[in-house]
């Protein structure tokens, strides 16, 4: 079957016969073998067709044979084994030893009680860890990679996991290579293979292998899974997928390496270790002091071990991970996908946001609204969307048929360039495949009845658009039978000032005239007039060579601002966050949109790419905080802008969607890529992806990030206050020579509350809507600061004093009874629950945030209360915890006493929010200037 194949822009005829069905082991090729074969041999071996690709039925058959194009994760341990691993905790082993000693001393009731406690503690820890793993596992499935593939002669877009050997894949600028491919067509194709070779320079690809260097780690005829297209386009045959790919071999090695912990997890580990050392020291002292006072050694041992389990926050890193993972999942529901959990920590510190204009601040729904030809004809284009609904209305056209014909011809010439110099496609249903700008040009041509004009030319070569040149050019050959001279034609579109540099002639009233300075000034004036209306201006030219082109005219494209962006910008400015527009558009267009959105303000300045290059680093450092708009910038300049802000201590978030943005995205503290129109390159470099490409979503992400930080602080406050209170209570009673107010089982029950549902629910507290209006947090601010320590010590002191008061009151007869320990135990538990309620917010009243806003917390508290009542009134649990039933008056008395921790906390918050104590309020920082925040 004859097949048309393009190699580096030229067309050849291949004859690849179909073969009989091949064995499964022959239907994939290692990259080394595929690179050494001609493309015809690769197609023959894989039984595929360059033009039509595989049939859907054959693809399904091969998928069932090879499996999905994804990596098989190593088999996880069964749940029962993960559960048993919890018993390897040294503290749990100590408890088991305590239970064994109790059996040896025939204290079977203690042994049973301790065993039950072990099972409860282990189960809680297992559920926490399992929940953390599942939350993180879900995050990896948020962004399934997709690809463009030819099946049954048509181009389809679907998930890369459905590719099979023999599929024909199309590669475009910015795409991630979905499988190992043997290339058979390349157009200026270069691929970033730094993930394989470590080399930062992209590799230029071709279709024929050269034998200049047999020691290369990658081949020029191959495109490897996981690499990124940096320039041009191409096509290739899938030769291996999944684990059989070269990247799959690296993945198998990678599976043996565990992922590093996040900085926040590491800091929590360090905190846990320090607290553990302190706790063990105190516990050892308690055991020694009790033994010297003549208390039974086994009792002191059981108390000490139980206190170790309760006081040491071994679950702290796990709870932090769960809180972060659930917060990240919540962000995903608000269209912000965080790729790296540490990003969450940085979100609340951002004080400069460098945002691209097109697609982020605006909708990126381009529509051609104005056409201006080189000979002065103007046309207004109606309608919107990628369809033919609308019309091209030529203005000021006379009734003279010859003049009207000339005007229509000039408009035709402009739109013809837009159609021919174009890689987009519009489906009959109105969906666009390609860039919005190119889609808008096709839609304008459709409205003028000339969409098929590109079929009049045979494309020979493409010079793709890049951010440095800012133009795209195609070299074509007319298909007309009258074109006996075989004269080639170049079509170019791009930035006006760049297009004019290649033009030596101008089209004027059907004639081709030499271009002069007056012509150029008139063209630039027309472009400025369109740009001041907020339109993006694109120039059009054609010619016999790129050095001598003929200027034909320009189009103005309207891209409306996104709703709510102005609101987000105003909120950011109000909190001291500077929003900066960084765009490749002309100054007039950029400033017009920036003024509309509130980014450009009277006291701010604008800087062009050329001015940026003329500035020394020190000058840019001095001026960068005054600039609100950078226009006509290059990728290198975007990187310099980010570095300039960082040099003055700013925490920078940078948005981008193209290949040209990836360096700046990677250099910024938080790189933000676009999910809809962003390239795979930008998504790979970014830390966060906006699913809807909307700037307003950045505000939602910052809001969630700040909320997560404060939720973790609330949890730490609760856990530390409980831990310190438990240690202090036992220490004081031991030093005072009093009986132990809590037995081992009761201490373990308190540990379950400290690490269990009430604590967990603090991590999912809904984000306070006012948190976004707080200033950015200093990146050097510790999770545990003076304010948190003060709150922890205050709560712990109230809990200890209140519990000691109840214990001393019940111990008036100097004889310890089950009622005494039950009253003391219940007092401590109720203190714990009221303390959890006060920990829901650091500066807002519980009534202000609403009792029912966190339903999970309410359920957790009610569950804990029910559990405590069962411990008090349910006979089997009374035996386990050595408690007895209390009267209603007892519970009312305990409730009145324990609510004091909530009342004092609420009073402290009220004092902080009102004069004359406002100086000490965290909210006072909201009035700080931006210079104080950096």
């Amino acid at each position: 079957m004859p097949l048309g194949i393009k190699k580096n822009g030229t067309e050849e005829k291949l004859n690849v016969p179909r073969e009989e069905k091949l064995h499964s082991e022959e239907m994939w090729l290692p990259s080394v073998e595929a690179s050494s074969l001609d493309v015809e041999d690769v197609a023959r071996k894989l039984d595929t067709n360059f033009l039509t690709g595989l049939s859907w039925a054959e693809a399904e058959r091969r998928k069932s044979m090879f499996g999905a194009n994804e990596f098989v994760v190593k088999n996880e341990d069964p749940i029962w084994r993960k559960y048993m691993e919890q018993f390897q905790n040294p503290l749990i082993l100590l408890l088991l030893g305590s239970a064994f000693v109790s059996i040896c001393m025939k204290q079977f009731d203690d042994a049973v009680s301790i065993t039950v406690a072990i099972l409860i503690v282990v189960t809680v820890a297992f559920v926490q860890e399992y929940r953390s793993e599942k939350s993180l596992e879900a995050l990896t499935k948020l962004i399934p990679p997709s690809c463009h593939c030819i099946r049954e002669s048509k181009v389809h877009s679907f998930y890369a996991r459905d590719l099979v050997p023999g599929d024909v894949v199309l590669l475009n600028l910015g795409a991630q290579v979905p499988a190992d491919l043997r290339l058979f067509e390349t157009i200026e194709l270069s691929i970033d293979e730094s993930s394989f070779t470590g080399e930062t320079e992209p590799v230029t690809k071709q279709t024929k292998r050269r034998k200049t260097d047999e020691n290369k780690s990658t081949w020029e005829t191959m495109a490897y899974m996981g690499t990124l297209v940096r320039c041009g386009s191409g096509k290739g045959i899938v030769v291996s997928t999944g684990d059989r790919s070269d990247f799959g071999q690296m993945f198998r090695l990678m599976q043996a390496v565990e992922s590093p912990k996040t900085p926040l997890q590491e800091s929590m580990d360090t905190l846990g270790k320090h607290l553990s050392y302190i706790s063990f020291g105190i516990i050892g002292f308690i055991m020694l002091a009790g033994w010297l006072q003549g208390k039974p050694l086994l009792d002191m041992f059981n108390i000490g071990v139980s206190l170790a389990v309760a006081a040491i926050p071994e679950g702290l890193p796990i709870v932090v991970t769960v809180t972060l993972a659930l917060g990240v999942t919540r962000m995903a529901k608000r269209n912000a996908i965080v790729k790296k959990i540490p990003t969450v920590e940085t979100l609340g510190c951002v004080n400069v946001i460098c945002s691209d204009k097109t697609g982020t601040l605006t909708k990126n729904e381009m529509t051609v609204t104005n056409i201006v030809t080189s000979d002065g004809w103007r046309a207004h284009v109606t309608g919107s969307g990628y369809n033919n609904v609308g019309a091209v209305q030529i203005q000021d056209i006379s009734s003279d048929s010859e003049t009207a014909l000339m005007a229509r011809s000039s408009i035709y010439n402009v739109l013809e360039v837009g159609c021919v110099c174009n890689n987009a496609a519009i489906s009959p249903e109105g969906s666009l495949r390609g860039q919005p700008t190119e889609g808008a040009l096709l839609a304008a041509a459709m409205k003028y009845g000339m969409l098929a004009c590109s079929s009049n030319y045979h494309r020979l070569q493409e010079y793709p658009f890049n951010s440095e040149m800012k133009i795209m050019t195609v070299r074509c050959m007319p298909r007309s039978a009258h074109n006996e001279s075989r004269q080639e034609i170049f079509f170019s579109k791009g930035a006006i000032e760049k297009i004019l540099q290649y033009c030596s002639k101008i089209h004027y009233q059907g004639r081709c005239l030499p271009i002069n300075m007056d012509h150029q000034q008139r063209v630039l004036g027309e472009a400025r007039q369109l740009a001041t209306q907020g339109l993006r201006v694109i120039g059009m030219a054609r010619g016999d060579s790129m050095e001598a082109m003929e200027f034909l005219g320009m189009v103005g494209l309207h891209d409306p601002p996104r709703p709510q962006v102005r609101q987000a910008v105003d909120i950011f400015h109000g909190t001291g966050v500077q929003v900066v527009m960084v765009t490749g558009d002309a100054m007039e267009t950029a400033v017009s949109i920036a003024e509309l959105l509130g980014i450009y303000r009277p006291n701010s300045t604008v800087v062009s790419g050329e001015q940026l290059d003329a500035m020394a680093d020190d000058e840019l450092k001095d001026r960068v905080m005054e600039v609100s708009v950078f226009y006509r910038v290059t990728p290198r300049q975007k990187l310099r802008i980010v570095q300039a802000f960082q040099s003055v201590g700013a925490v920078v978030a940078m948005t981008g969607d193209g290949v040209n943005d990836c360096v700046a995205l990677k250099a910024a503290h938080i790189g933000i890529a676009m999910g809809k129109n962003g390239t795979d390159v930008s998504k790979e470099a970014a830390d966060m992806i906006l699913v809807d490409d909307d700037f307003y979503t950045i505000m939602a992400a910052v809001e969630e990030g700040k909320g997560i930080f404060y939720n973790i602080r609330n949890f730490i406050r609760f856990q530390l206050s409980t831990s310190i209170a438990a240690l202090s209570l036992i220490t004081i009673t031991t030093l005072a020579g009093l009986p132990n107010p809590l037995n081992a089982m009761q201490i373990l029950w308190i540990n379950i509350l400290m690490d269990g549902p009430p604590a967990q629910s603090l991590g999912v507290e809904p984000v306070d809507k006012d948190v976004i209006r707080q200033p950015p947090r200093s990146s050097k601010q510790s999770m545990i600061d003076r304010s948190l320590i003060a709150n922890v010590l205050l709560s712990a002191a109230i809990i200890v004093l209140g519990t000691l008061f109840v214990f001393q009151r019940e111990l008036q007869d100097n004889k310890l009874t089950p009622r005494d320990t039950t009253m003391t135990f219940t007092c401590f538990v109720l203190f714990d629950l009221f303390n959890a309620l006060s920990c829901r917010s650091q500066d807002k009243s519980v009534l202000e945030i609403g009792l029912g806003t966190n339903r999970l917390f309410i359920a957790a508290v009610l569950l804990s209360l029910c559990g405590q009542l069962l411990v008090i009134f349910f006979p089997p649990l009374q035996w386990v915890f050595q408690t007895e039933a209390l009267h209603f008056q007892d519970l009312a008395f305990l409730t009145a006493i324990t609510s004091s921790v909530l009342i004092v906390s609420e009073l402290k918050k009220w004092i902080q929010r009102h004069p004359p104590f406002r100086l000490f309020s965290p909210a006072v920082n909201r009035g700080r200037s931006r210079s104080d925040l950096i």
Side-chain angles (χ1 to χ4, degrees):
M1 180 183 296
L3 300 173
I5 309 297
K6 287 184 181 178
K7 291 188 176 182
N8 295 321
T10 60
E11 184 172 292
E12 298 180 3
K13 296 291 182 181
L14 297 179
N15 191 5
V16 183
R18 305 285 287 182
E19 296 187 347
E20 298 296 326
K21 286 186 178 180
L22 304 176
H23 297 294
S24 62
E25 60 270 15
E26 296 175 343
M27 297 190 71
W28 70 278
L29 294 173
S31 61
V32 175
E33 181 182 350
S35 66
S36 64
L37 296 174
D38 291 336
V39 289
E40 301 93 326
D41 296 329
V42 171
R44 187 177 296 107
K45 277 181 171 289
L46 297 179
D47 193 20
T48 190
N49 185 295
F50 291 102
L51 291 183
T52 63
L54 298 175
S55 66
W56 288 98
E58 175 63 16
E60 285 299 319
R61 189 183 74 83
R62 295 190 185 190
K63 186 177 179 181
S64 65
M65 185 187 305
F66 291 100
N69 178 32
E70 57 189 3
F71 302 129
V72 180
V73 180
K74 59 184 177 182
N75 293 329
E76 294 186 355
D77 293 335
I79 292 180
W80 66 267
R81 182 170 293 175
K82 289 185 176 182
Y83 184 82
M84 296 304 296
E85 286 176 357
Q86 301 298 324
F87 288 91
Q88 298 175 8
N89 187 313
L91 298 176
I92 299 299
L93 294 177
L94 273 174
L95 279 175
L96 288 173
S98 177
F100 179 74
V101 172
S102 298
I103 292 174
C104 293
M105 299 185 68
K106 298 184 178 180
Q107 295 184 359
F108 298 109
D109 55 344
D110 286 347
V112 171
S113 299
I114 293 172
T115 303
V116 171
I118 290 172
L119 292 175
I120 295 174
V121 171
V122 164
T123 302
V124 170
F126 166 74
V127 169
Q128 286 178 341
E129 189 168 327
Y130 184 78
R131 186 181 179 189
S132 172
E133 289 179 0
K134 290 301 177 184
S135 297
L136 293 174
E137 184 180 303
L139 297 180
T140 63
K141 301 177 180 177
L142 291 173
I143 323 171
S146 59
C147 64
H148 299 301
C149 177
I150 297 177
R151 292 260 178 97
E152 297 181 353
S153 303
K154 294 183 179 180
V155 178
H156 298 274
S157 296
F158 50 76
Y159 291 145
R161 70 183 304 275
D162 294 325
L163 286 177
V164 295
D167 266 328
V168 176
V169 173
L170 284 66
L171 299 177
N172 297 311
L173 177 68
Q176 186 175 38
V177 179
D180 283 358
L181 309 177
R182 175 58 166 91
L183 299 169
F184 65 85
E185 177 182 319
T186 60
I187 301 176
E188 304 290 331
L189 179 65
S190 62
I191 296 180
D192 179 359
E193 296 182 343
S194 56
S195 57
F196 275 11
T197 64
E199 298 291 336
T200 56
E201 288 297 320
V203 178
T204 302
K205 295 295 181 176
Q206 58 179 11
T207 58
K208 289 186 178 181
R209 178 172 173 178
R210 294 182 296 187
K211 298 182 179 180
T212 55
D213 187 0
E214 294 296 327
N215 297 319
K216 288 183 178 179
S217 57
T218 60
W219 299 100
E220 294 173 342
T221 57
M222 295 293 300
Y224 296 92
M225 173 188 281
T227 57
L228 301 166
V229 179
R230 297 296 297 271
C231 183
S233 60
K235 296 179 182 178
I237 302 172
V238 175
V239 295
S240 52
T241 58
D243 290 344
R244 294 180 175 86
S245 67
D246 282 28
F247 189 80
Q249 298 173 18
M250 299 170 65
F251 179 81
R252 287 195 294 270
L253 296 175
M254 184 180 64
Q255 280 189 291
V257 181
E258 293 190 8
S259 300
K261 293 185 177 180
T262 69
L264 183 59
Q265 283 178 300
E266 290 180 349
S267 66
M268 292 299 100
D269 280 341
T270 302
L271 173 64
K273 287 178 183 178
H274 290 164
L275 292 176
S276 299
Y277 296 147
I278 296 172
S279 300
F280 270 125
I282 295 174
I283 290 162
F285 173 77
I286 291 172
M287 291 177 62
L288 179 62
W291 178 66
L292 292 176
Q293 290 175 359
K295 295 180 180 179
L297 183 60
L298 180 61
D299 287 351
M300 293 308 301
F301 177 74
N302 287 340
I303 289 289
V305 172
S306 302
L307 198 57
V309 174
I312 297 171
E314 70 279 353
L316 192 59
I318 296 176
V319 173
V320 168
T321 303
V322 170
T323 304
L324 287 172
L326 292 178
V328 169
T329 304
R330 197 163 59 226
M331 284 185 187
K333 293 179 181 178
R334 298 183 70 175
N335 294 322
I337 295 177
V338 174
K339 291 172 55 183
K340 305 168 187 175
I341 282 187
T343 302
V344 175
E345 304 171 49
T346 314
L347 276 169
C349 305
V350 170
N351 45 35
V352 172
I353 300 175
C354 297
S355 177
D356 188 21
K357 178 183 74 69
T358 305
T360 309
L361 299 173
T362 59
K363 290 184 177 181
N364 201 20
E365 295 176 357
M366 291 291 188
T367 302
V368 174
T369 58
N370 295 75
I371 301 174
V372 179
T373 69
S374 56
D375 43 4
W377 295 107
R378 290 178 173 80
H380 178 66
V381 184
T382 62
S384 61
Y386 304 113
N387 51 57
N388 61 354
V389 178
V392 178
Q393 301 169 347
I394 303 176
Q395 301 173 2
D396 302 326
I397 190 170
S398 66
S399 57
D400 182 359
S401 61
E402 184 177 346
T403 304
L405 183 62
M406 188 179 298
R408 284 194 289 269
S409 176
S410 295
I411 297 292
Y412 182 96
N413 289 337
V414 172
L415 293 177
E416 182 183 47
V417 176
C419 281
V420 178
C421 191
N422 197 308
N423 286 324
I426 298 177
S427 70
E429 296 79 23
S431 61
L432 173 67
R433 182 169 65 85
Q435 295 297 319
T437 300
E438 295 188 337
L441 293 172
L442 292 181
M446 291 170 67
K447 296 168 187 175
Y448 205 57
M450 52 177 291
L451 178 61
C453 69
S454 58
S455 61
N456 297 331
Y457 299 91
H458 170 63
R459 183 182 293 191
L460 302 176
Q461 189 173 6
E462 175 186 332
Y463 303 91
F465 176 91
N466 66 68
S467 53
E468 298 289 340
M469 299 296 295
K470 297 188 183 299
I471 64 172
M472 173 188 175
T473 303
V474 293
R475 180 168 61 91
C476 300
M477 182 78 70
R479 295 184 185 272
S480 171
H482 302 291
N483 185 33
E484 298 177 357
S485 62
R486 308 289 290 175
Q487 179 66 46
E488 295 179 350
I489 302 178
F490 290 79
F491 294 89
S492 292
K493 73 176 193 296
I496 284 288
E497 60 270 24
K498 297 293 184 180
I499 285 289
L500 287 176
Q501 292 176 8
Y502 291 90
C503 291
S504 60
K505 293 169 285 187
I506 187 169
H507 183 86
Y508 186 77
Q509 295 183 355
R511 295 177 297 165
C512 184
L513 304 177
I515 196 167
N516 56 38
M517 188 61 67
D518 291 339
H519 291 142
Q520 291 186 359
Q521 291 302 319
R522 182 171 58 82
V523 169
L524 293 174
E526 294 279 8
R528 280 193 295 271
Q529 185 178 353
L530 291 177
T532 53
Q533 302 173 34
L535 301 180
R536 182 180 181 186
V537 183
I538 297 179
M540 306 290 181
R542 71 181 178 193
D544 297 336
S545 68
M546 289 190 65
E547 292 75 25
M549 302 196 80
E550 177 187 10
F551 184 76
L552 300 175
M554 67 192 79
V555 297
L557 299 98
H558 178 57
D559 186 12
R562 287 182 177 274
Q564 296 185 303
V565 170
R566 176 64 188 253
Q567 177 187 350
V569 170
D570 289 343
I571 290 174
F572 277 133
H573 281 163
T575 60
V577 178
Q578 181 174 351
V579 181
V580 181
M581 179 187 290
V582 183
T583 179
D585 281 343
M587 182 185 71
E588 293 81 5
T589 305
V591 171
S592 175
I593 297 296
E595 280 184 321
L596 187 63
L597 297 176
I599 295 174
Y600 178 78
R601 301 195 174 191
N603 295 329
S604 56
T605 58
V606 298
V607 172
S608 69
E610 291 183 359
Q611 292 171 331
L612 196 63
D613 283 338
M615 290 184 191
D617 289 341
D618 290 341
E619 183 184 359
L620 178 59
K621 181 179 177 180
D622 293 337
R623 291 186 55 189
V624 70
M625 295 303 296
E626 304 170 359
V627 181
S628 60
V629 177
F630 290 94
Y631 65 95
R632 288 297 193 219
V633 296
T634 65
R636 178 176 52 81
Q637 292 165 345
K638 287 185 179 181
L639 174 62
R640 194 174 174 215
I641 292 167
V642 170
Q643 291 173 337
F645 278 114
Q646 291 174 333
S647 68
V648 296
V651 179
V652 184
M654 174 76 189
T655 73
D657 57 3
V659 179
N660 59 321
D661 298 321
C662 65
V663 179
L665 289 175
K666 215 161 191 178
H669 292 98
I670 295 184
I672 305 173
M674 303 299 109
K676 282 184 178 178
N677 296 313
T679 60
D680 289 338
V681 177
S682 62
K683 294 175 187 177
E684 185 75 15
D687 304 296
M688 187 170 78
I689 298 173
L690 304 184
V691 176
D692 55 1
D693 294 7
D694 194 342
F695 182 86
Y696 188 82
T697 306
I698 299 177
M699 191 183 76
V702 171
E703 182 180 76
E704 290 284 353
K706 288 182 177 180
I708 288 171
F709 177 83
Y710 290 120
N711 283 352
I712 293 175
R713 279 171 57 90
N714 294 341
F715 164 77
I716 292 175
R717 173 186 168 185
F718 170 71
Q719 193 170 58
L720 289 185
S721 57
T722 302
S723 178
I724 291 173
L727 279 175
S728 301
L729 178 66
I730 303 299
T731 302
I732 292 172
T733 54
T734 301
L735 292 178
L738 298 173
N740 291 322
L742 303 172
N743 61 41
M745 284 301 302
Q746 292 166 355
I747 292 174
L748 291 173
W749 175 253
I750 290 171
N751 174 64
I752 292 170
L753 292 181
M754 186 176 76
D755 284 336
Q760 291 281 308
S761 60
L762 288 174
V764 294
E765 186 73 27
V767 175
D768 182 1
K769 296 302 178 184
D770 289 337
V771 76
I772 189 62
R773 301 186 182 277
Q774 295 188 8
R777 175 174 54 87
S778 170
S779 57
K780 298 178 182 179
Q781 179 183 346
S782 172
M783 182 67 73
I784 300 179
D785 56 14
R786 292 182 180 179
S787 173
L788 181 67
I789 293 173
N791 286 329
V792 166
L793 293 179
L794 178 63
S795 299
I798 295 172
I799 294 172
V800 170
L801 291 175
T803 307
L804 282 174
F805 170 76
V806 171
F807 181 58
Q808 191 66 33
R809 178 175 175 273
E810 295 298 322
L811 202 63
Q812 290 180 355
D813 55 359
N814 294 323
K815 191 174 182 180
L816 188 66
T817 65
R819 171 183 166 81
D820 300 339
T821 57
T822 303
M823 286 288 289
T824 308
F825 171 44
T826 305
C827 177
F828 195 98
V829 169
L830 291 178
F831 261 128
D832 223 23
L833 296 180
F834 275 114
N835 185 38
L837 189 60
S838 71
C839 288
R840 287 184 61 191
S841 175
Q842 298 289 326
D843 57 0
K844 280 195 172 184
S845 166
V846 172
L847 297 177
E848 190 176 354
I849 62 177
L851 289 172
T853 53
N854 188 348
R855 295 181 180 179
L856 186 60
F857 177 83
I858 299 300
V861 169
L862 292 177
L863 181 65
S864 301
L865 279 174
C866 292
Q868 183 64 23
L869 292 176
L870 287 174
V871 166
I872 297 173
F873 295 106
F874 188 51
L877 292 180
Q878 286 179 336
W879 176 77
V880 172
F881 288 91
Q882 300 176 18
T883 59
E884 69 175 38
L886 300 177
H887 299 292
F888 175 78
Q889 295 89 336
D890 296 327
L891 294 175
F893 167 73
L894 291 176
T895 301
I897 291 289
T898 56
S899 62
S900 62
V901 69
L902 175 62
I903 294 171
V904 171
S905 176
E906 292 292 288
L907 181 62
K908 180 174 179 291
K909 295 174 186 176
W910 185 88
I911 291 174
Q912 288 178 333
R913 293 196 306 269
H914 293 81
F917 307 97
R918 195 173 182 84
L919 177 63
F920 304 100
S921 172
V924 76
N925 293 328
R926 296 175 190 171
R928 291 162 62 191
S929 66
R930 189 187 307 122
S931 60
D932 296 329
L933 299 171
I934 296 177

